[in-house]
Amino acid sequence: MRAVCPGSFDPITHGHLDVITRAVALFGEVIVAVGRNSAKKYLFDTDERIELVGAAVADLPGVRVEVLSGLLVDFCRDRDAGYVVKGLRFASDFDFELQMAHINHSLTGLETVLLPASARWGTLSSTMVREVAGLGGDVSAFVPELVAERIEQKRNTANG
Ligand code: PNS
């Protein structure tokens, strides 16, 4: 079966990778869909996010990465994927994901599977990573090595 893991991945974290790894174990095939949430301002542009996600999943058989533009339900239908898999950390995630799951199911019957985030990464978020990184902190425990390197590069460029 084919599932889609959608998100902004700005940047991809160990929490995302945990969910993607578990999703491919459950479904056999996963497309990571790197999208844009129009309400968000991004640290990494789409090409960079695609590249960083691609590098992070390169060693995971059954996983590929694509850009998500337009509706998630259309993306899934075009690729014959009947399931969306998302990680669930705390109650506020649930409120949002429930709304998305309902509207996506109403639109095309697309099913959503919510996986509880593993305890180790249970409250990790890209937002926190960006906050710590932006204020000069070390985020290498939370993100793949290439992401940490790129953040460092961005910081060096910004500081001239
Ligand atoms: O990591 P995020 O920011 O929660 O990811 C959000 C994303 C990109 C997965 C979400 O905005 C999305 O699915 N966008 C595609 C447009 C869509 O289908 N929206 C849901 C119906 S309103």
Side-chain angles (χ1 to χ4, degrees), residues 96-144:
F96 180 65
E97 296 302 341
L98 186 64
Q99 265 189 304
M100 299 274 272
H102 281 161
I103 197 151
N104 288 334
H105 191 264
S106 306
L107 288 168
T108 60
L110 181 67
E111 292 287 7
T112 299
V113 174
L114 299 175
L115 280 186
S118 63
R120 183 165 181 202
W121 310 116
T123 61
L124 181 59
S125 69
S126 298
T127 306
M128 290 290 164
V129 167
R130 290 195 304 273
E131 169 85 5
V132 171
L135 295 170
D138 177 10
V139 294
S140 57
F142 313 119
V143 296

mmCIF file of all heavy atoms in Angstrom, residues 96-144:
data_model
loop_
_atom_site.group_PDB
_atom_site.id
_atom_site.type_symbol
_atom_site.label_atom_id
_atom_site.label_comp_id
_atom_site.label_asym_id
_atom_site.label_seq_id
_atom_site.Cartn_x
_atom_site.Cartn_y
_atom_site.Cartn_z
ATOM 1 N N PHE A 96 -6.115 20.331 15.007
ATOM 2 C CA PHE A 96 -5.856 20.719 13.628
ATOM 3 C C PHE A 96 -5.958 19.515 12.684
ATOM 4 O O PHE A 96 -6.602 19.575 11.640
ATOM 5 C CB PHE A 96 -4.466 21.366 13.549
ATOM 6 C CG PHE A 96 -4.084 21.821 12.177
ATOM 7 C CD1 PHE A 96 -4.787 22.843 11.545
ATOM 8 C CD2 PHE A 96 -3.028 21.232 11.502
ATOM 9 C CE1 PHE A 96 -4.440 23.259 10.266
ATOM 10 C CE2 PHE A 96 -2.671 21.642 10.226
ATOM 11 C CZ PHE A 96 -3.376 22.661 9.613
ATOM 12 N N GLU A 97 -5.332 18.416 13.081
ATOM 13 C CA GLU A 97 -5.308 17.234 12.213
ATOM 14 C C GLU A 97 -6.703 16.649 12.019
ATOM 15 O O GLU A 97 -7.006 16.106 10.959
ATOM 16 C CB GLU A 97 -4.356 16.156 12.770
ATOM 17 C CG GLU A 97 -2.896 16.581 12.816
ATOM 18 C CD GLU A 97 -2.320 16.993 11.457
ATOM 19 O OE1 GLU A 97 -2.894 16.625 10.421
ATOM 20 O OE2 GLU A 97 -1.313 17.700 11.447
ATOM 21 N N LEU A 98 -7.538 16.751 13.044
ATOM 22 C CA LEU A 98 -8.902 16.239 12.924
ATOM 23 C C LEU A 98 -9.680 17.012 11.854
ATOM 24 O O LEU A 98 -10.355 16.420 10.999
ATOM 25 C CB LEU A 98 -9.617 16.337 14.276
ATOM 26 C CG LEU A 98 -11.007 15.708 14.337
ATOM 27 C CD1 LEU A 98 -10.938 14.198 14.120
ATOM 28 C CD2 LEU A 98 -11.672 16.005 15.676
ATOM 29 N N GLN A 99 -9.518 18.329 11.890
ATOM 30 C CA GLN A 99 -10.166 19.168 10.870
ATOM 31 C C GLN A 99 -9.704 18.792 9.476
ATOM 32 O O GLN A 99 -10.509 18.656 8.545
ATOM 33 C CB GLN A 99 -9.748 20.628 11.096
ATOM 34 C CG GLN A 99 -10.678 21.450 11.917
ATOM 35 C CD GLN A 99 -10.241 22.901 11.845
ATOM 36 O OE1 GLN A 99 -9.099 23.220 12.163
ATOM 37 N NE2 GLN A 99 -11.136 23.766 11.441
ATOM 38 N N MET A 100 -8.379 18.647 9.317
ATOM 39 C CA MET A 100 -7.816 18.297 8.001
ATOM 40 C C MET A 100 -8.305 16.918 7.564
ATOM 41 O O MET A 100 -8.660 16.709 6.397
ATOM 42 C CB MET A 100 -6.282 18.272 8.074
ATOM 43 C CG MET A 100 -5.669 19.576 8.437
ATOM 44 S SD MET A 100 -5.431 20.597 6.985
ATOM 45 C CE MET A 100 -3.826 20.027 6.519
ATOM 46 N N ALA A 101 -8.300 15.973 8.504
ATOM 47 C CA ALA A 101 -8.723 14.605 8.167
ATOM 48 C C ALA A 101 -10.168 14.609 7.710
ATOM 49 O O ALA A 101 -10.526 13.948 6.724
ATOM 50 C CB ALA A 101 -8.536 13.694 9.384
ATOM 51 N N HIS A 102 -11.007 15.371 8.399
ATOM 52 C CA HIS A 102 -12.423 15.402 8.034
ATOM 53 C C HIS A 102 -12.634 16.008 6.659
ATOM 54 O O HIS A 102 -13.372 15.458 5.834
ATOM 55 C CB HIS A 102 -13.223 16.200 9.076
ATOM 56 C CG HIS A 102 -13.519 15.415 10.309
ATOM 57 N ND1 HIS A 102 -13.866 16.004 11.505
ATOM 58 C CD2 HIS A 102 -13.495 14.086 10.539
ATOM 59 C CE1 HIS A 102 -14.065 15.064 12.423
ATOM 60 N NE2 HIS A 102 -13.852 13.894 11.856
ATOM 61 N N ILE A 103 -11.974 17.132 6.408
ATOM 62 C CA ILE A 103 -12.216 17.781 5.106
ATOM 63 C C ILE A 103 -11.640 16.930 3.984
ATOM 64 O O ILE A 103 -12.273 16.764 2.934
ATOM 65 C CB ILE A 103 -11.717 19.249 5.059
ATOM 66 C CG1 ILE A 103 -12.362 19.966 3.873
ATOM 67 C CG2 ILE A 103 -10.210 19.367 4.967
ATOM 68 C CD1 ILE A 103 -12.546 21.428 4.050
ATOM 69 N N ASN A 104 -10.484 16.329 4.202
ATOM 70 C CA ASN A 104 -9.894 15.492 3.156
ATOM 71 C C ASN A 104 -10.752 14.251 2.897
ATOM 72 O O ASN A 104 -10.929 13.827 1.753
ATOM 73 C CB ASN A 104 -8.457 15.099 3.528
ATOM 74 C CG ASN A 104 -7.503 16.277 3.406
ATOM 75 O OD1 ASN A 104 -7.745 17.204 2.649
ATOM 76 N ND2 ASN A 104 -6.414 16.252 4.154
ATOM 77 N N HIS A 105 -11.310 13.687 3.946
ATOM 78 C CA HIS A 105 -12.179 12.523 3.761
ATOM 79 C C HIS A 105 -13.453 12.916 3.026
ATOM 80 O O HIS A 105 -13.933 12.193 2.141
ATOM 81 C CB HIS A 105 -12.495 11.865 5.113
ATOM 82 C CG HIS A 105 -13.145 10.528 4.942
ATOM 83 N ND1 HIS A 105 -14.506 10.351 4.977
ATOM 84 C CD2 HIS A 105 -12.617 9.309 4.685
ATOM 85 C CE1 HIS A 105 -14.789 9.068 4.761
ATOM 86 N NE2 HIS A 105 -13.658 8.420 4.576
ATOM 87 N N SER A 106 -13.988 14.089 3.374
ATOM 88 C CA SER A 106 -15.207 14.546 2.683
ATOM 89 C C SER A 106 -14.945 14.785 1.208
ATOM 90 O O SER A 106 -15.814 14.543 0.366
ATOM 91 C CB SER A 106 -15.719 15.874 3.254
ATOM 92 O OG SER A 106 -15.892 15.776 4.610
ATOM 93 N N LEU A 107 -13.755 15.285 0.883
ATOM 94 C CA LEU A 107 -13.463 15.643 -0.512
ATOM 95 C C LEU A 107 -13.351 14.411 -1.409
ATOM 96 O O LEU A 107 -13.945 14.365 -2.479
ATOM 97 C CB LEU A 107 -12.173 16.478 -0.586
ATOM 98 C CG LEU A 107 -12.284 17.923 -0.054
ATOM 99 C CD1 LEU A 107 -10.906 18.555 0.101
ATOM 100 C CD2 LEU A 107 -13.135 18.779 -0.984
ATOM 101 N N THR A 108 -12.571 13.419 -0.972
ATOM 102 C CA THR A 108 -12.338 12.260 -1.881
ATOM 103 C C THR A 108 -12.359 10.908 -1.177
ATOM 104 O O THR A 108 -12.031 9.889 -1.789
ATOM 105 C CB THR A 108 -10.948 12.367 -2.562
ATOM 106 O OG1 THR A 108 -9.948 12.374 -1.545
ATOM 107 C CG2 THR A 108 -10.812 13.590 -3.430
ATOM 108 N N GLY A 109 -12.629 10.883 0.124
ATOM 109 C CA GLY A 109 -12.569 9.607 0.852
ATOM 110 C C GLY A 109 -11.162 9.265 1.319
ATOM 111 O O GLY A 109 -10.926 8.165 1.834
ATOM 112 N N LEU A 110 -10.227 10.200 1.154
ATOM 113 C CA LEU A 110 -8.848 9.974 1.611
ATOM 114 C C LEU A 110 -8.832 9.711 3.126
ATOM 115 O O LEU A 110 -9.430 10.460 3.890
ATOM 116 C CB LEU A 110 -8.004 11.220 1.294
ATOM 117 C CG LEU A 110 -6.529 11.174 1.681
ATOM 118 C CD1 LEU A 110 -5.771 10.146 0.849
ATOM 119 C CD2 LEU A 110 -5.892 12.561 1.478
ATOM 120 N N GLU A 111 -8.179 8.631 3.518
ATOM 121 C CA GLU A 111 -8.098 8.285 4.938
ATOM 122 C C GLU A 111 -6.846 8.891 5.563
ATOM 123 O O GLU A 111 -5.789 8.980 4.913
ATOM 124 C CB GLU A 111 -8.031 6.762 5.127
ATOM 125 C CG GLU A 111 -9.307 6.031 4.763
ATOM 126 C CD GLU A 111 -10.433 6.225 5.778
ATOM 127 O OE1 GLU A 111 -10.283 7.040 6.722
ATOM 128 O OE2 GLU A 111 -11.466 5.571 5.607
ATOM 129 N N THR A 112 -6.945 9.276 6.836
ATOM 130 C CA THR A 112 -5.794 9.798 7.572
ATOM 131 C C THR A 112 -5.486 8.880 8.741
ATOM 132 O O THR A 112 -6.390 8.508 9.491
ATOM 133 C CB THR A 112 -6.090 11.221 8.104
ATOM 134 O OG1 THR A 112 -6.334 12.072 6.985
ATOM 135 C CG2 THR A 112 -4.931 11.767 8.917
ATOM 136 N N VAL A 113 -4.213 8.514 8.860
ATOM 137 C CA VAL A 113 -3.771 7.698 9.992
ATOM 138 C C VAL A 113 -2.869 8.574 10.852
ATOM 139 O O VAL A 113 -1.879 9.119 10.361
ATOM 140 C CB VAL A 113 -2.990 6.460 9.487
ATOM 141 C CG1 VAL A 113 -2.400 5.679 10.644
ATOM 142 C CG2 VAL A 113 -3.900 5.573 8.636
ATOM 143 N N LEU A 114 -3.242 8.728 12.120
ATOM 144 C CA LEU A 114 -2.454 9.573 13.028
ATOM 145 C C LEU A 114 -1.598 8.688 13.923
ATOM 146 O O LEU A 114 -2.125 7.874 14.683
ATOM 147 C CB LEU A 114 -3.389 10.451 13.869
ATOM 148 C CG LEU A 114 -4.270 11.420 13.053
ATOM 149 C CD1 LEU A 114 -5.242 12.158 13.957
ATOM 150 C CD2 LEU A 114 -3.407 12.412 12.271
ATOM 151 N N LEU A 115 -0.292 8.844 13.806
ATOM 152 C CA LEU A 115 0.626 8.023 14.616
ATOM 153 C C LEU A 115 1.087 8.840 15.808
ATOM 154 O O LEU A 115 1.590 9.958 15.627
ATOM 155 C CB LEU A 115 1.869 7.674 13.798
ATOM 156 C CG LEU A 115 1.835 6.545 12.792
ATOM 157 C CD1 LEU A 115 3.241 6.312 12.237
ATOM 158 C CD2 LEU A 115 1.320 5.273 13.427
ATOM 159 N N PRO A 116 0.955 8.292 17.016
ATOM 160 C CA PRO A 116 1.490 9.041 18.153
ATOM 161 C C PRO A 116 3.002 9.199 18.007
ATOM 162 O O PRO A 116 3.697 8.229 17.713
ATOM 163 C CB PRO A 116 1.158 8.170 19.371
ATOM 164 C CG PRO A 116 0.643 6.885 18.856
ATOM 165 C CD PRO A 116 0.368 7.007 17.387
ATOM 166 N N ALA A 117 3.478 10.414 18.175
ATOM 167 C CA ALA A 117 4.926 10.649 18.108
ATOM 168 C C ALA A 117 5.601 9.778 19.152
ATOM 169 O O ALA A 117 5.063 9.562 20.241
ATOM 170 C CB ALA A 117 5.215 12.120 18.376
ATOM 171 N N SER A 118 6.785 9.284 18.827
ATOM 172 C CA SER A 118 7.478 8.458 19.817
ATOM 173 C C SER A 118 7.931 9.354 20.967
ATOM 174 O O SER A 118 8.116 10.565 20.802
ATOM 175 C CB SER A 118 8.662 7.737 19.182
ATOM 176 O OG SER A 118 9.591 8.670 18.728
ATOM 177 N N ALA A 119 8.072 8.744 22.143
ATOM 178 C CA ALA A 119 8.333 9.523 23.361
ATOM 179 C C ALA A 119 9.571 10.410 23.205
ATOM 180 O O ALA A 119 9.587 11.562 23.647
ATOM 181 C CB ALA A 119 8.496 8.575 24.544
ATOM 182 N N ARG A 120 10.572 9.883 22.525
ATOM 183 C CA ARG A 120 11.839 10.620 22.430
ATOM 184 C C ARG A 120 11.672 11.968 21.727
ATOM 185 O O ARG A 120 12.310 12.959 22.076
ATOM 186 C CB ARG A 120 12.845 9.759 21.663
ATOM 187 C CG ARG A 120 14.196 10.404 21.586
ATOM 188 C CD ARG A 120 15.267 9.448 21.160
ATOM 189 N NE ARG A 120 16.537 10.120 21.124
ATOM 190 C CZ ARG A 120 17.569 9.701 20.413
ATOM 191 N NH1 ARG A 120 17.465 8.598 19.697
ATOM 192 N NH2 ARG A 120 18.695 10.364 20.437
ATOM 193 N N TRP A 121 10.806 11.993 20.693
ATOM 194 C CA TRP A 121 10.654 13.232 19.914
ATOM 195 C C TRP A 121 9.262 13.821 20.121
ATOM 196 O O TRP A 121 8.765 14.564 19.279
ATOM 197 C CB TRP A 121 10.877 12.938 18.424
ATOM 198 C CG TRP A 121 12.115 12.184 18.128
ATOM 199 C CD1 TRP A 121 12.215 10.941 17.601
ATOM 200 C CD2 TRP A 121 13.469 12.628 18.350
ATOM 201 N NE1 TRP A 121 13.530 10.577 17.477
ATOM 202 C CE2 TRP A 121 14.316 11.589 17.926
ATOM 203 C CE3 TRP A 121 14.036 13.797 18.873
ATOM 204 C CZ2 TRP A 121 15.714 11.681 18.007
ATOM 205 C CZ3 TRP A 121 15.411 13.885 18.952
ATOM 206 C CH2 TRP A 121 16.233 12.845 18.519
ATOM 207 N N GLY A 122 8.638 13.458 21.223
ATOM 208 C CA GLY A 122 7.217 13.734 21.431
ATOM 209 C C GLY A 122 6.808 15.186 21.410
ATOM 210 O O GLY A 122 5.639 15.489 21.169
ATOM 211 N N THR A 123 7.726 16.118 21.680
ATOM 212 C CA THR A 123 7.331 17.534 21.647
ATOM 213 C C THR A 123 8.234 18.351 20.725
ATOM 214 O O THR A 123 8.153 19.581 20.719
ATOM 215 C CB THR A 123 7.352 18.170 23.062
ATOM 216 O OG1 THR A 123 8.681 18.092 23.572
ATOM 217 C CG2 THR A 123 6.387 17.471 23.997
ATOM 218 N N LEU A 124 9.042 17.663 19.958
ATOM 219 C CA LEU A 124 9.950 18.378 19.048
ATOM 220 C C LEU A 124 9.164 19.002 17.898
ATOM 221 O O LEU A 124 8.230 18.406 17.381
ATOM 222 C CB LEU A 124 10.974 17.373 18.495
ATOM 223 C CG LEU A 124 12.038 17.911 17.537
ATOM 224 C CD1 LEU A 124 12.870 19.001 18.195
ATOM 225 C CD2 LEU A 124 12.933 16.762 17.070
ATOM 226 N N SER A 125 9.535 20.210 17.493
ATOM 227 C CA SER A 125 8.881 20.835 16.336
ATOM 228 C C SER A 125 9.908 21.625 15.531
ATOM 229 O O SER A 125 10.917 22.103 16.075
ATOM 230 C CB SER A 125 7.765 21.781 16.787
ATOM 231 O OG SER A 125 8.318 22.906 17.434
ATOM 232 N N SER A 126 9.606 21.782 14.233
ATOM 233 C CA SER A 126 10.462 22.614 13.384
ATOM 234 C C SER A 126 10.475 24.049 13.895
ATOM 235 O O SER A 126 11.485 24.745 13.780
ATOM 236 C CB SER A 126 9.953 22.595 11.941
ATOM 237 O OG SER A 126 9.998 21.290 11.424
ATOM 238 N N THR A 127 9.346 24.492 14.454
ATOM 239 C CA THR A 127 9.265 25.861 14.977
ATOM 240 C C THR A 127 10.311 26.077 16.073
ATOM 241 O O THR A 127 11.025 27.086 16.094
ATOM 242 C CB THR A 127 7.845 26.124 15.541
ATOM 243 O OG1 THR A 127 6.899 25.816 14.522
ATOM 244 C CG2 THR A 127 7.679 27.563 15.982
ATOM 245 N N MET A 128 10.404 25.099 16.995
ATOM 246 C CA MET A 128 11.399 25.205 18.080
ATOM 247 C C MET A 128 12.817 25.168 17.521
ATOM 248 O O MET A 128 13.697 25.902 17.979
ATOM 249 C CB MET A 128 11.227 24.049 19.069
ATOM 250 C CG MET A 128 9.971 24.134 19.894
ATOM 251 S SD MET A 128 10.088 25.496 21.079
ATOM 252 C CE MET A 128 8.390 25.664 21.521
ATOM 253 N N VAL A 129 13.021 24.292 16.525
ATOM 254 C CA VAL A 129 14.354 24.189 15.907
ATOM 255 C C VAL A 129 14.736 25.538 15.289
ATOM 256 O O VAL A 129 15.845 26.037 15.485
ATOM 257 C CB VAL A 129 14.377 23.060 14.843
ATOM 258 C CG1 VAL A 129 15.627 23.135 13.980
ATOM 259 C CG2 VAL A 129 14.283 21.696 15.526
ATOM 260 N N ARG A 130 13.781 26.155 14.575
ATOM 261 C CA ARG A 130 14.085 27.462 13.947
ATOM 262 C C ARG A 130 14.369 28.522 15.001
ATOM 263 O O ARG A 130 15.268 29.349 14.847
ATOM 264 C CB ARG A 130 12.913 27.912 13.058
ATOM 265 C CG ARG A 130 12.739 27.090 11.793
ATOM 266 C CD ARG A 130 11.817 27.818 10.807
ATOM 267 N NE ARG A 130 10.526 28.139 11.368
ATOM 268 C CZ ARG A 130 9.469 27.321 11.359
ATOM 269 N NH1 ARG A 130 9.557 26.119 10.829
ATOM 270 N NH2 ARG A 130 8.313 27.708 11.890
ATOM 271 N N GLU A 131 13.600 28.490 16.095
ATOM 272 C CA GLU A 131 13.781 29.476 17.170
ATOM 273 C C GLU A 131 15.178 29.346 17.790
ATOM 274 O O GLU A 131 15.906 30.331 17.928
ATOM 275 C CB GLU A 131 12.680 29.244 18.229
ATOM 276 C CG GLU A 131 12.844 29.985 19.545
ATOM 277 C CD GLU A 131 12.278 31.406 19.513
ATOM 278 O OE1 GLU A 131 11.682 31.779 18.491
ATOM 279 O OE2 GLU A 131 12.467 32.119 20.518
ATOM 280 N N VAL A 132 15.548 28.117 18.142
ATOM 281 C CA VAL A 132 16.861 27.884 18.762
ATOM 282 C C VAL A 132 17.970 28.245 17.773
ATOM 283 O O VAL A 132 18.938 28.937 18.116
ATOM 284 C CB VAL A 132 16.992 26.412 19.224
ATOM 285 C CG1 VAL A 132 18.418 26.108 19.668
ATOM 286 C CG2 VAL A 132 16.015 26.115 20.350
ATOM 287 N N ALA A 133 17.798 27.787 16.516
ATOM 288 C CA ALA A 133 18.827 28.049 15.505
ATOM 289 C C ALA A 133 18.979 29.550 15.263
ATOM 290 O O ALA A 133 20.095 30.060 15.182
ATOM 291 C CB ALA A 133 18.452 27.345 14.203
ATOM 292 N N GLY A 134 17.855 30.252 15.204
ATOM 293 C CA GLY A 134 17.877 31.690 14.921
ATOM 294 C C GLY A 134 18.560 32.487 16.005
ATOM 295 O O GLY A 134 19.095 33.572 15.763
ATOM 296 N N LEU A 135 18.551 31.937 17.224
ATOM 297 C CA LEU A 135 19.180 32.654 18.344
ATOM 298 C C LEU A 135 20.565 32.094 18.663
ATOM 299 O O LEU A 135 21.102 32.314 19.742
ATOM 300 C CB LEU A 135 18.252 32.599 19.574
ATOM 301 C CG LEU A 135 16.926 33.354 19.367
ATOM 302 C CD1 LEU A 135 15.954 33.074 20.502
ATOM 303 C CD2 LEU A 135 17.165 34.856 19.251
ATOM 304 N N GLY A 136 21.098 31.328 17.717
ATOM 305 C CA GLY A 136 22.496 30.903 17.849
ATOM 306 C C GLY A 136 22.714 29.604 18.600
ATOM 307 O O GLY A 136 23.854 29.248 18.914
ATOM 308 N N GLY A 137 21.638 28.862 18.902
ATOM 309 C CA GLY A 137 21.796 27.611 19.651
ATOM 310 C C GLY A 137 22.171 26.431 18.773
ATOM 311 O O GLY A 137 22.093 26.511 17.542
ATOM 312 N N ASP A 138 22.538 25.338 19.426
ATOM 313 C CA ASP A 138 22.961 24.118 18.723
ATOM 314 C C ASP A 138 21.751 23.196 18.548
ATOM 315 O O ASP A 138 21.176 22.729 19.533
ATOM 316 C CB ASP A 138 24.039 23.428 19.563
ATOM 317 C CG ASP A 138 24.485 22.105 18.954
ATOM 318 O OD1 ASP A 138 24.104 21.822 17.797
ATOM 319 O OD2 ASP A 138 25.201 21.364 19.648
ATOM 320 N N VAL A 139 21.380 22.930 17.295
ATOM 321 C CA VAL A 139 20.199 22.096 17.043
ATOM 322 C C VAL A 139 20.586 20.697 16.548
ATOM 323 O O VAL A 139 19.728 19.931 16.116
ATOM 324 C CB VAL A 139 19.231 22.749 16.019
ATOM 325 C CG1 VAL A 139 18.621 24.014 16.595
ATOM 326 C CG2 VAL A 139 19.927 23.028 14.685
ATOM 327 N N SER A 140 21.862 20.361 16.634
ATOM 328 C CA SER A 140 22.327 19.120 15.990
ATOM 329 C C SER A 140 21.724 17.859 16.603
ATOM 330 O O SER A 140 21.709 16.813 15.953
ATOM 331 C CB SER A 140 23.854 19.042 15.994
ATOM 332 O OG SER A 140 24.327 19.124 17.308
ATOM 333 N N ALA A 141 21.191 17.946 17.820
ATOM 334 C CA ALA A 141 20.564 16.763 18.410
ATOM 335 C C ALA A 141 19.184 16.493 17.821
ATOM 336 O O ALA A 141 18.642 15.402 17.979
ATOM 337 C CB ALA A 141 20.430 16.948 19.920
ATOM 338 N N PHE A 142 18.619 17.476 17.143
ATOM 339 C CA PHE A 142 17.213 17.374 16.745
ATOM 340 C C PHE A 142 16.983 17.162 15.254
ATOM 341 O O PHE A 142 15.865 16.876 14.823
ATOM 342 C CB PHE A 142 16.463 18.662 17.158
ATOM 343 C CG PHE A 142 16.745 19.084 18.563
ATOM 344 C CD1 PHE A 142 17.338 20.309 18.839
ATOM 345 C CD2 PHE A 142 16.440 18.232 19.619
ATOM 346 C CE1 PHE A 142 17.612 20.679 20.138
ATOM 347 C CE2 PHE A 142 16.713 18.606 20.922
ATOM 348 C CZ PHE A 142 17.308 19.833 21.190
ATOM 349 N N VAL A 143 18.024 17.378 14.472
ATOM 350 C CA VAL A 143 17.872 17.344 13.004
ATOM 351 C C VAL A 143 18.976 16.493 12.382
ATOM 352 O O VAL A 143 20.028 16.303 12.993
ATOM 353 C CB VAL A 143 17.926 18.781 12.404
ATOM 354 C CG1 VAL A 143 16.760 19.615 12.878
ATOM 355 C CG2 VAL A 143 19.251 19.467 12.716
ATOM 356 N N PRO A 144 18.760 16.000 11.138
ATOM 357 C CA PRO A 144 19.836 15.282 10.456
ATOM 358 C C PRO A 144 21.061 16.185 10.269
ATOM 359 O O PRO A 144 20.937 17.414 10.240
ATOM 360 C CB PRO A 144 19.220 14.919 9.096
ATOM 361 C CG PRO A 144 17.750 15.020 9.281
ATOM 362 C CD PRO A 144 17.529 16.062 10.322
#
